[in-house]
């Protein structure tokens, strides 16, 4: 190996090592922040406290995350990544719409369960309409788009035969439906969030029937009117 090649190899190794360490530090800050949010509450936890607990300088913490809000966005992204991974088995195996939707929603609850106590304390901040932590905010856009993409896969990979315009809007409607499930889950004090799972199991067949009804001639005009309302409100 020539000297130039050897130097290039060493630089590549150093760069890779730094990248790995950087990702580990970032993950540690997120993990520490979530723990402190659970223990002390979101409002009472400062970036300085997070840095101290994580064993990094305050400047280093701000290098990775400019604010506590950015830490929550990182939490949203990680939770979304976990959900995508948890959905893979059912989306790869099922073609019927209802089982696909049921599996995806159950996986959503599965991935949220470890954060149930934190979600209860944090909800008042995420529910504030002007907060960047709100799931409908511009700041939450990447996580929201990723979530809608899952429901788009639910629809596109299924055997559904519905109006193409309604089909295009259905993923976002399913995401809004899932947000209703999340809201119920936040307030669910049943053991293991049993009632949330029950809500999913009982409502998915209803959603499936309503979607199927969109194919009935008498309901097509209603479905198209719904699509028009969705697009008008969005724009």
């Amino acid at each position: 190996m020539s000297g130039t090649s050897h130097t290039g190899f060493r630089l590549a190794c150093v760069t890779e090592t730094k990248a790995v360490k950087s990702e580990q530090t970032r993950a540690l800050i997120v993990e520490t922040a979530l723990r402190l949010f659970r223990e002390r509450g979101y409002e009472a936890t400062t970036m300085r406290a997070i840095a101290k607990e994580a064993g990094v300088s305050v400047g280093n913490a701000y290098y990775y995350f400019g604010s506590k809000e950015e830490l929550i966005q990182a939490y949203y992204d990680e939770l979304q990544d976990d959900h995508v991974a948890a959905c893979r088995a059912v989306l790869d195996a099922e073609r019927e719409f209802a089982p696909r939707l049921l599996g995806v929603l159950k996986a959503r609850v599965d991935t949220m369960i470890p954060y149930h106590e934190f979600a209860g304390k944090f909800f008042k901040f995420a529910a504030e309409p002007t907060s960047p932590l709100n799931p409908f905010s511009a700041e939450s856009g990447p996580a929201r788009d990723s979530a809608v993409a899952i429901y788009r896969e639910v629809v596109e990979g299924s055997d559904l035969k519905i109006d193409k315009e309604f089909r295009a809007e259905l993923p976002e409607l399913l995401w809004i439906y899932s947000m209703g499930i999340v809201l119920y889950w936040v307030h669910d004090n049943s053991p293991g969030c049993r009632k949330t799972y029950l809500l999913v199991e009982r409502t998915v067949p209803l959603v499936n029937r309503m979607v199927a009804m969109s194919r009935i001639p008498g309901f097509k005009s209603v479905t198209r009117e719904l699509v028009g309302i969705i697009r008008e409100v969005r724009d």
Side-chain angles (χ1 to χ4, degrees):
M1 181 182 294
S2 68
T4 301
S5 299
H6 185 65
T7 301
F9 177 75
R10 283 190 301 171
L11 287 173
C13 288
V14 169
T15 300
E16 183 177 352
T17 300
K18 286 183 177 179
V20 170
K21 186 176 181 180
S22 177
E23 186 56 37
Q24 289 174 340
T25 301
R26 186 181 188 279
L28 174 61
I29 293 171
V30 173
E31 180 184 342
T32 302
L34 292 178
R35 176 171 60 79
L36 293 181
F37 291 157
R38 288 194 298 268
E39 293 173 358
R40 305 179 184 181
Y42 175 76
E43 197 169 24
T45 302
T46 64
M47 287 293 285
R48 182 174 295 278
I50 293 168
K52 182 178 179 181
E53 286 286 320
V56 301
S57 68
V58 176
N60 204 15
Y62 275 109
Y63 170 79
Y64 289 98
F65 301 98
S67 64
K68 290 193 297 183
E69 287 80 5
E70 288 188 16
L71 278 162
I72 293 297
Q73 294 300 337
Y75 157 68
Y76 286 166
D77 292 341
E78 288 190 11
L79 190 61
Q80 190 57 40
D81 289 344
D82 290 344
H83 186 209
V84 170
C87 292
R88 188 46 46 206
V90 69
L91 291 177
D92 287 346
E94 286 286 352
R95 285 295 169 263
E96 290 186 29
F97 173 70
R100 286 170 73 83
L101 180 59
L102 179 64
V104 165
L105 287 172
K106 281 188 171 182
R108 176 65 169 165
V109 180
D110 289 343
T111 56
M112 293 190 305
I113 288 289
Y115 303 99
H116 189 246
E117 185 179 354
F118 164 63
K121 296 176 181 177
F122 170 73
F123 176 71
K124 66 179 180 179
F125 299 101
E128 172 60 43
T130 59
S131 171
L133 306 179
N134 190 302
F136 295 90
S137 70
E139 290 84 354
S140 298
R144 183 172 61 250
D145 291 344
S146 179
V148 172
I150 290 179
Y151 295 102
R152 184 169 294 108
E153 187 173 354
V154 168
V155 173
E156 295 303 326
S158 75
D159 56 3
L160 272 182
K161 293 179 176 59
I162 55 177
D163 180 86
K164 65 179 182 179
E165 290 191 335
F166 181 48
R167 190 184 190 94
E169 301 298 337
L170 185 54
E172 189 166 351
L173 289 174
L174 293 176
W175 174 72
I176 293 172
Y177 160 51
S178 77
M179 293 305 296
I181 299 292
V182 171
L183 177 60
Y184 184 87
W185 167 80
V186 168
H187 298 280
D188 183 6
N189 293 319
S190 62
C193 296
R194 178 183 59 81
K195 289 184 178 180
T196 302
Y197 286 105
L198 179 62
L199 180 65
V200 170
E201 291 168 0
R202 295 297 294 272
T203 56
V204 164
L206 293 176
V207 171
N208 185 45
R209 267 181 267 168
M210 287 189 287
V211 171
M213 286 174 64
S214 71
R215 300 194 298 266
I216 300 173
F219 283 90
K220 283 186 177 180
S221 61
V222 176
T223 301
R224 287 172 182 169
E225 185 175 350
L226 174 61
V227 169
I229 292 170
I230 293 169
R231 291 177 177 174
E232 185 177 352
V233 170
R234 182 194 296 139
D235 297 339

